[in-house]
Amino acid sequence: MTTLPDCPADPDSAAPPPPAADPEKSTAASPPPPRDGAPDPIVLPPTEIGLVVGESPAAAAEGGPDDAVVSEQAAPGLLRLLRRQEIAFAAVGGGNTLLGMVLTVFWLKVLGPSWPPAAAVVLAYCLSILAAFVAHRTLVFRVRGHLWRDFARFIVVNSGGLLLNTVGVQLAVGSLHLPDTPATVVVMGVVAVASYFGHRYFSFRRAPEQPAGDDR
C-alpha cells in the first residue's frame, strides 16, 4: 500500500474560531428578553422623557426644568389675588382716591389763594377720572373697542356715585344725626359696591360672543 505524503493545510480554510463573547458586556448591551405575552420595552430619549414629565422641548434638551412652568408655580399670591375682578376694582379705587388727594393738594399749591379751593377739586377730578377710566378698562374689566361709548358711560356711573355719596352722607349725618365716621364709611361702601356693578353691567358691558357658525 502506497502512503500519500501529508499536504499542508489551506490557510483560507483554516480560519481561527471567533473569540468568545463576554457574558457581562452582552448582558449590559442587550435588553432582557420580554416575558411571554408582555410588550417590548420602550426606551425614550432624554428629550422625550422631559416631555413626559411636563418640560418644554428646549428645557428637556438642555436637561433642566422649564423656567416658565417654575415661574408660574412660584407666582406670588398677591398677583393671583389681584386677578380677581373684585379685588382689582377695590385696589384701583383706592389708588384713584389717593391720586385725587395728591392732585387736589397739587392744584391748591399751583393756583394759590387767588383761586377758590373748589377749582382745585374740579381740576383734580378731571385728571383722576381719566386715570380711573384707563385703569378700570385695562386692569379690572379688560375690554377693547367702543372707547368713547365706554368713557361716556363711565362718567355717568362715576357722577351717579358722587351724587349718591353726597346725598347719602347728608341724610345720614345731617338729617339722621348718625355718627360721622361710621355713617360715612357705610354710605361710601354701599355706593362703591353699586358703582362696581354699574361699571360691570353698564360702563364696560360686552355682548356675549356667539359660537362660530351659529346664524340664529
Side-chain angles (χ1 to χ4, degrees), residues 1-25:
M1 177 180 292
T2 305
T3 303
L4 296 177
D6 296 335
C7 296
D10 188 359
D12 295 334
S13 61
D22 190 352
E24 295 182 358
K25 293 183 178 180

Side-chain angles (χ1 to χ4, degrees), residues 148-171:
W148 295 111
R149 187 194 70 180
D150 291 351
F151 183 63
R153 292 182 175 184
F154 183 82
I155 292 178
V156 170
V157 174
N158 239 37
S159 301
L162 178 63
L163 179 62
L164 289 176
N165 277 327
T166 304
V167 174
V169 172
Q170 178 63 35
L171 288 176

Side-chain angles (χ1 to χ4, degrees), residues 165 168-169 172-173 178-193:
N165 277 327
V169 172
V173 178
L178 297 175
D180 297 352
T181 301
T184 302
V185 170
V186 170
V187 169
M188 298 188 81
V190 172
V191 173
V193 174

